DNA sequence: CTGAAAGCGCTTACAG
DNA sequence: CTGAAAGCGCTTACAG
């Protein structure tokens, strides 16, 4: 008959201690305004004394909300997680949600069972989802957008439906700006190391480079591709050099690739920016620590993540959000151009 | 009376369709062995046809388990998330759990409300927790270990209780090995750039450096500290050089710091490894892309994360796990020593 | 091997 | 402003 130690105190216990009904305790817990100040105080006192914490499962079952949000990440996560840009987006979303009632559930979209994630999302386990997939095979998520509030980070490749909400930077404009910065220092033979063409960011940055060169009558034939990583940048740089063309500028689609490219350039005694002017995207530690430090386009990744979370919360609450939200980028001039 | 569209099919619907009771459907869903093959098949057919997915909240409320695991991360997450090592640990844990019934909930231990995380963990919202905090103020989590299955990544600073489960690399041995590698190339004036001394890894690697030098009668006075980031490494390198001592080797406690130090060395025309031999810890893209590529100790971060998850799952299931699990490191020889 | 029934801890119309 | 009661969708002894 004595009180046992471990089990969490329940609403019922709080109610008994405060001398009110469970309904009233529930109202206090949920911040209902229709509770008298006096009762409100009693109940809060009991809650504090008992260290009562509401049971999520019960609450969820009763009101049909889960208070949890999925963060979907492509399995190809080795690359993904170690990319400071994505890591920072996640951080921004997580920190924003830490101040809300929502909890973030990490979902790895595994290739072994591709339907698993969809099942989970559709299974009523979350109130909404943040999608960071960027590959061409993101169709399944795009289709889910009809039945579950979702916000995409970066534009998905397969956007037929239109009824999507995405938070993105204007990658085309960013690349154009970065490329023009090279032109301003008087260069005229400008190459690019582009990102993967099965990602929106990869496509758009290549496009932006073109849009800077074409209007001024410069050639757009010097293109190599990398996977956004340092080794990818190294390989692309080598290929570029092997062409035997006189290059005096390169727009490189990510700082990590620029970093790899720089290494090759150093090894061959090619000077930056004297011989080749370089600009890139991402203001991460690669851009900052490179020699010379890289002139780059900063993407406010943390803000992007927070924005994604904020929009999703709005969506879940039944609010309206724009289909496309653009996060402004800023050009950071350093020594590489 | 017509069937409406959206609402998830319930257990009840499946039962009706399969012509059995809800209890039986529940048994099938949970893989009970005491169901006849025939009934089992009928039920599974109904489940497939209805695309039934069990409601987590209801299940959780009924059986007292949440099937979710918290991943606790210190708020000081800017540094944290962009550290490839931690990112990879998280990835390892997430991928391991993706194949289980458990879901990973990201918890940022916010400084604004330090008790919030504790409340969440104690509130019965999760079945267990993975703690990646490494600072001296991790006491609150250590204390929680009594009431909730927990596994620590890296040894916590305040380990009074003893009843802890930690997965760690042997940082002392790693540092000793790395430092000895410098000695083997005939160096005798060996400095270190150590990590933060409020983290276990920072302390232990400094200790390992000492243990390599003292037995052979070398001085252990050349110590500078950094925060594990490239800028931290730069600053420490500058301080080291300002001492005006002839240094011919440096053990640097992280690749990111080594990376920063290398930048300073390049600028001053000091050659690596000719003038100064360098070894470090972490086989990430910093170590791989540096010039020269860094001789380093690889910590299998993904495996560490997976191991943490695995041990926690065992603990939750009521199993026994060792208090300390050591992940082996491996020395990777490259051009910097 | 299978079913009826109680119960998990909340929320929420509905009355008053 | 407050309470009694039904209900959220499962699981699990308990019988049979």
């Amino acid at each position: 008959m004595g009180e046992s130690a471990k089990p969490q105190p329940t609403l019922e216990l709080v109610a008994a201690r405060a001398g009110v009904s469970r309904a009233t305790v529930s109202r206090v817990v949920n911040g209902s305004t229709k509770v008298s100040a006096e009762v409100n105080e009693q109940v809060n006192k009991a809650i504090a004394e008992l260290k009562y914490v509401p049971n999520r499962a019960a609450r969820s079952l009763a009101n049909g909300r889960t208070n949890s949000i999925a963060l979907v990440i492509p399995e190809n996560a080795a690359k993904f997680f170690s990319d400071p840009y994505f890591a920072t987006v996640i951080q921004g979303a997580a920190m924003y949600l830490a101040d809300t009632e929502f909890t973030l559930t990490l979902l790895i979209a595994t290739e072994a069972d591709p339907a698993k994630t969809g099942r989970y999302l559709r299974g009523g386990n979350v109130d909404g989802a943040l999608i960071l997939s960027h590959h061409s095979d993101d169709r399944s998520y795009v289709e889910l957008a009809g039945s579950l509030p979702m916000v995409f980070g970066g534009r998905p490749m397969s956007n037929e439906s239109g009824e999507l909400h995405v938070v993105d930077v204007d990658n085309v404009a960013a690349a154009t700006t970065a490329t023009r910065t090279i032109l301003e220092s008087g260069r005229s033979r400008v190459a690019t190391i582009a990102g993967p063409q099965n990602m929106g960011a990869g496509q758009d940055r290549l496009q932006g480079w073109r849009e800077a060169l074409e209007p001024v009558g410069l050639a757009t034939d010097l293109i190599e591709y990398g996977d956004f990583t340092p080794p990818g940048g190294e390989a692309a740089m080598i290929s570029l050099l092997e062409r035997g063309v006189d290059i005096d500028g390169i727009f490189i689609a990510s700082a990590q690739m620029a970093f790899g490219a720089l290494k090759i350039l150093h090894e061959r005694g090619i000077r930056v920016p004297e011989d080749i002017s370089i600009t890139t995207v991402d203001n991460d530690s690669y851009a900052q620590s490179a020699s010379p430090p890289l002139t780059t386009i900063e993407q406010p990744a943390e803000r992007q993540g927070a924005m994604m979370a904020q929009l999703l919360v709005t969506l879940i609450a039944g609010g309206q959000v724009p289909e496309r939200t653009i996060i402004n980028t800023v050009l950071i001039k350093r020594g590489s151009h």
Side-chain angles (χ1 to χ4, degrees), chain A residues 217-262:
Chain A
L218 294 178
T220 56
D221 56 332
L222 296 173
I223 306 175
E224 291 292 340
Y225 299 91
D227 61 357
F228 280 150
T229 71
E234 291 183 29
M237 190 67 245
I238 290 173
S239 301
L240 219 42
L241 258 18
E242 276 173 355
R243 294 195 182 198
V245 182
D246 253 342
I247 296 171
D248 59 8
I250 316 177
F251 163 65
I252 305 181
S254 84
Q256 291 198 58
M257 291 201 295
F259 189 80
L262 228 38

Side-chain angles (χ1 to χ4, degrees), chain A residues 40-88:
Chain A
N40 198 41
E41 189 180 343
Q42 287 169 43
V43 172
N44 276 135
K45 181 155 162 277
I47 288 177
E49 290 170 353
L50 261 23
K51 296 189 180 175
Y52 168 70
V53 181
N55 178 303
R56 272 176 87 84
R59 173 182 281 190
S60 183
L61 182 57
N63 72 6
R65 297 185 50 178
T66 66
N67 278 348
S68 96
I69 285 178
L71 175 67
V72 181
I73 297 177
E75 170 164 43
N76 175 17
K79 197 180 301 176
F80 191 90
F81 264 95
S82 60
D83 184 330
Y85 171 68
F86 287 118
T88 310

Side-chain angles (χ1 to χ4, degrees), chain A residues 96-114:
Chain A
Y96 179 87
L97 292 176
D99 289 333
T100 72
E101 70 215 295
F102 292 98
T103 249
L104 239 207
T105 295
L106 219 56
L107 242 47
I108 307 274
T110 145
E111 284 170 11
D113 185 358

Side-chain angles (χ1 to χ4, degrees), chain A residues 262-324:
Chain A
L262 228 38
K263 184 182 170 194
I264 301 298
L265 259 15
H266 281 312
E267 290 173 5
R268 313 218 172 166
I270 300 173
R271 295 166 307 165
V272 175
E274 293 82 353
D275 302 326
I276 295 186
S277 169
I278 288 183
T279 60
T280 186
V281 181
D282 290 329
N283 185 24
D284 55 20
S285 55
Y286 292 94
Q288 292 160 20
S289 303
S291 328
L294 298 169
T295 293
T296 193
I297 299 281
E298 177 172 53
Q299 311 185 70
E302 186 166 352
R303 193 138 53 79
Q304 181 175 355
M307 180 62 79
M308 288 176 64
Q310 184 188 333
L311 295 183
L312 184 57
V313 168
T314 304
L315 236 31
I316 291 173
Q320 297 287 320
V321 316
E323 289 201 358
R324 190 135 191 262

